[in-house]
Amino acid sequence: MSDVVLSKKCCKCSRHLPLSEYHLKRESPDGHQTKCQSCVRQYRAEYYQKNQERLRQYSLDFYKQNADDVKAYQKEYAQRFPDRIRERNKQWLLTVDRNAFLEQKRQWHRANRDRMSQLQKAYRAVHPEYARISCHKRKARLKQAAGTCSRTQFLAKIEYHGWRCYLCNTSLTIKELHMDHRTPIARGGSNWPANLAPACGPCNLSKGRKTESEYRTTLSACFSSSTPSNR
Ligand SMILES: [Zn+2]
Ligand SMILES: [Zn+2]
């Protein structure tokens, strides 16, 4: 055996660097790549820049063809690493450009208007109790109500409740999370953080126009006459 190589010259930038500065490559004689890590990083970044459109299209196509597999994988990942997902959600919440995000949402709604109204119609046919409350009226009331809740306060609320529904204790991801008004706006509640709490969709929807204590009374009445579920 020859002497152990501890450093070598990068084939790209010609610097002499310790082997630890190179990525591993099992097939090569010294077990490391010929380009140093920073050269590799630069190469990847340039490659991504040059092929951005193509790469984005590629991953879109891949998603379309393998939507079920991708979704299953994402679900499994979220179950295995809930902390990572939470951290990512937290970062997203703190850094997202609110206006750009809302604009993106608006564009999506414009593009999917017909599909959405069909879905809503079908939903209202099954749940006539929601048909009465029009979305516009609700939004108008939300805007009129007193109080605001900043992004940091919103996040603090979620953290305080341990990313769980404050009514049924179900663990929540950002996608499943509803911000519930303990006292509904329609009943004079505000948008101040003290009146807000994270809830799961089912609790938020079934609570409807009830206050928190009214809802809890109904819940305990239900549970004393039937066995509680896991949700
Ligand atoms: Zn290099
Ligand atoms: Zn719940």
Side-chain angles (χ1 to χ4, degrees):
M1 277 300 281
S2 58
D3 290 339
V4 184
V5 191
L6 290 175
S7 70
K8 63 173 178 176
K9 191 173 152 189
C10 168
C11 73
K12 189 83 197 286
C13 65
S14 306
R15 286 183 300 170
H16 274 279
L17 294 164
L19 273 191
S20 59
E21 293 292 312
Y22 295 82
H23 286 301
L24 297 177
K25 187 179 182 186
R26 215 176 295 160
E27 314 86 81
S28 95
D30 63 11
H32 292 79
Q33 297 190 355
T34 50
K35 271 184 216 151
C36 73
Q37 289 187 10
S38 73
C39 285
V40 170
R41 215 173 298 133
Q42 198 185 335
Y43 170 79
R44 283 191 191 146
E46 277 166 15
Y47 181 85
Y48 183 78
Q49 276 293 327
K50 260 185 241 157
N51 299 281
Q52 217 168 1
E53 260 322 300
R54 200 169 59 82
L55 289 172
R56 195 175 297 148
Q57 195 53 49
Y58 175 80
S59 56
L60 274 178
D61 288 347
F62 182 86
Y63 183 81
K64 259 182 219 157
Q65 280 157 20
N66 303 280
D68 290 342
D69 288 348
V70 175
K71 270 181 204 153
Y73 171 78
Q74 284 171 340
K75 203 170 170 186
E76 194 200 311
Y77 184 88
Q79 275 165 358
R80 274 178 65 195
F81 307 107
D83 292 347
R84 286 190 205 169
I85 300 284
R86 243 159 241 177
E87 190 51 38
R88 204 187 295 164
N89 288 342
K90 220 157 64 176
Q91 292 309 324
W92 180 81
L93 259 178
L94 291 173
T95 52
V96 66
D97 176 354
R98 196 178 144 78
N99 290 328
F101 175 68
L102 289 178
E103 182 50 37
Q104 203 183 341
K105 250 182 139 174
R106 253 175 250 132
Q107 276 177 10
W108 187 90
H109 273 275
R110 240 172 267 143
N112 294 275
R113 196 174 279 161
D114 293 344
R115 203 159 67 90
M116 286 306 287
S117 74
Q118 270 172 11
L119 280 173
Q120 278 166 358
K121 235 182 239 169
Y123 182 83
R124 282 182 189 159
V126 187
H127 302 275
E129 67 273 27
Y130 295 120
R132 278 175 299 141
I133 314 165
S134 106
C135 187
H136 296 287
K137 274 189 202 152
R138 207 182 90 83
K139 277 191 184 146
R141 274 205 309 264
L142 276 177
K143 268 186 195 159
Q144 269 172 16
T148 52
C149 179
S150 75
R151 217 180 285 187
T152 335
Q153 287 170 322
F154 178 78
L155 190 61
K157 272 271 143 181
I158 305 172
E159 295 266 295
Y160 174 77
H161 288 277
W163 290 83
R164 285 177 179 279
C165 169
Y166 83 111
L167 295 164
C168 72
N169 215 28
T170 304
S171 178
L172 298 168
T173 65
I174 198 86
K175 267 192 197 163
E176 300 156 347
L177 197 144
H178 290 223
M179 252 312 165
D180 186 57
H181 290 82
R182 289 172 190 268
T183 302
I185 298 286
R187 305 274 298 274
S190 74
N191 284 318
W192 293 117
N195 192 40
L196 296 172
C200 68
C203 282
N204 182 244
L205 291 176
S206 65
K207 182 169 165 285
R209 289 165 67 92
K210 292 190 193 77
T211 64
E212 181 187 351
S213 58
E214 284 168 359
Y215 182 68
R216 287 194 191 276
T217 318
T218 334
L219 265 194
S220 51
C222 285
F223 282 157
S224 58
S225 57
S226 68
T227 37
S229 71
N230 284 331
R231 276 206 70 101

